[in-house]
Amino acid sequence: MPILSLQNISFSYDDKTPTLRRIDIDVRSGEFLSIVGPNGSGKSTLLKCASRVLRPQEGVIMLDGSAIDRIARPDIARKIGVVPQEAVMLFPFTALEIVLMGRSPYRQGLGFETEKDFEVADAMMSLTDVQHLKHKPITALSGGERQRVYIARALAQRPKILLLDEPNAHLDIAHQVEIFTILKRLNESEGLTVVSVSHDLNLAAMFSDRIAMFQRGSLYAVGTPQEVLTADSIQEVFETDVLVDEHPQSLSLRITLIPSATTGKHHAALYSH
Ligand code: ADP
Ligand code: MG
């Protein structure tokens, strides 16, 4: 049984143009699934539907065997942790306070944090390498540090599924690999199901069991990295020429740009104006 099943999902923001069209995806328990696609293809909208931030006009979402519409929010939060694309935080909570917010689905009413809440928050902050930032206000952290704090907050919910929207967007290369390695470790050792929107096709290929590729609100393809990330599909969906071969060391797929003559001309034309 899939842990999260999106069945025939359609969503539109304005009831006119559909942003998501008849999406069917079964997320398997314990898998690492990456969602890729050009800007505006509906990836963030899909994650918001999957975590019940948005309600699709059509279709059904099943979480762990129950329709998500019928599950109370704290129960959803104990199963799905979310790292949003841009978490806006205007109030200068400390990093620790933010991570402790991830414990709220376990709290009774307005109760205070327990010993266990602090333990879990601590462990998750070690895992994402933000321990040393504990008492710093979130507003004083760099984009990458903030991102790691939000990942720690989502993990503090101890979810079965982690949904991440471009978790590597603000990270330097070392922290990109580090975060994906942490996610992979949790995925493999604790069976955490990971669904991550990624704009980095190489990282997606390296870490994912499966890739779902989106094109203008539709699911273009879903399958193993080898099945989905072909030069032809990338050319069709991203309108970019790439070379797909095998990395000589990791043996995972390697995707590199082929600079095309037309791209150069286009830029030259822009500069000449
Ligand atoms: P992606 O994450 O793949 O870049 P999004 O899911 O953010 O794409 O957006 C898909 C489409 O929906 C885009 O055309 C975008 O402009 C539109 N969209 C996103 N959020 C909103 C919103 N809150 N209101 C109206 N349109 C939106
Ligand atoms: Mg997005």
Side-chain angles (χ1 to χ4, degrees):
M1 186 181 73
I3 189 157
L4 181 66
S5 175
L6 309 182
Q7 300 167 5
N8 202 21
I9 297 303
S10 293
F11 177 85
S12 93
Y13 285 99
D14 57 11
D15 287 324
K16 288 196 287 277
T17 39
T19 299
L20 294 175
R21 266 175 279 205
R22 303 181 157 274
I23 306 294
D24 275 302
I25 304 181
D26 279 346
V27 179
R28 301 169 186 165
S29 181
E31 80 170 326
F32 195 124
L33 175 73
S34 285
I35 298 177
V36 302
N39 292 339
S41 56
K43 306 179 299 295
S44 296
T45 305
L46 183 85
L47 281 200
K48 285 176 190 160
C49 288
S51 57
R52 209 171 157 232
V53 173
L54 295 174
R55 195 159 190 269
Q57 282 86 355
E58 277 173 52
V60 176
I61 298 176
M62 304 291 289
L63 171 62
D64 230 357
S66 310
I68 202 166
D69 282 349
R70 302 187 170 194
I71 310 176
R73 290 221 177 252
D75 294 327
I76 294 177
R78 281 192 289 261
K79 291 196 168 150
I80 302 184
V82 181
V83 181
Q85 187 162 16
E86 270 160 45
V88 186
M89 194 59 78
L90 298 173
F91 189 83
F93 289 109
T94 66
L96 176 61
E97 286 167 337
I98 300 272
V99 177
L100 282 169
M101 288 174 193
R103 298 301 297 164
S104 64
Y106 294 92
R107 223 164 281 151
Q108 303 288 323
L110 295 171
F112 289 104
E113 289 89 359
T114 63
E115 194 87 353
K116 162 114 187 181
D117 292 332
F118 280 99
E119 266 170 39
V120 173
D122 222 52
M124 297 308 125
M125 292 182 93
S126 299
L127 208 57
T128 56
D129 187 23
V130 290
Q131 268 285 359
H132 59 295
L133 305 170
K134 213 170 178 166
H135 301 299
K136 279 206 168 186
I138 190 86
T139 44
L141 302 185
S142 77
E145 291 168 340
R146 252 200 315 268
Q147 191 68 293
R148 273 142 55 211
V149 171
Y150 289 121
I151 293 172
R153 177 179 70 176
L155 289 174
Q157 289 169 228
R158 305 309 277 138
K160 289 186 174 179
I161 312 171
L162 194 58
L163 304 182
L164 305 104
D165 201 346
E166 301 196 10
N168 46 350
H170 301 285
L171 304 185
D172 62 45
I173 192 162
H175 280 112
Q176 287 187 23
V177 174
E178 190 187 326
I179 288 296
F180 270 80
T181 305
I182 292 165
L183 295 176
K184 192 72 187 169
R185 196 165 68 226
L186 289 164
N187 172 250
E188 283 173 349
S189 65
E190 300 194 24
L192 178 71
T193 305
V194 177
V195 179
S196 174
V197 172
S198 177
H199 60 241
D200 188 321
L201 300 180
N202 281 295
L203 279 174
M206 202 180 306
F207 288 94
S208 311
D209 300 311
R210 291 196 304 156
I211 308 263
M213 191 185 270
F214 277 74
Q215 182 188 40
R216 292 189 297 270
S218 297
L219 184 60
Y220 177 85
V222 59
T224 63
Q226 282 76 7
E227 286 165 348
V228 176
L229 297 176
T230 63
D232 284 345
S233 68
I234 294 169
Q235 154 55 233
E236 188 169 340
V237 172
F238 290 87
E239 296 173 16
T240 304
D241 292 320
V242 295
L243 172 73
V244 180
D245 61 2
E246 193 176 81
H247 191 284
Q249 283 161 351
S250 69
L251 303 184
S252 80
L253 287 185
R254 177 172 63 177
I255 297 143
T256 39
L257 287 171
I258 302 172
S260 74
T262 48
T263 319
K265 269 186 220 148
H266 176 65
H267 285 288
L270 283 177
Y271 277 117
S272 70
H273 282 294

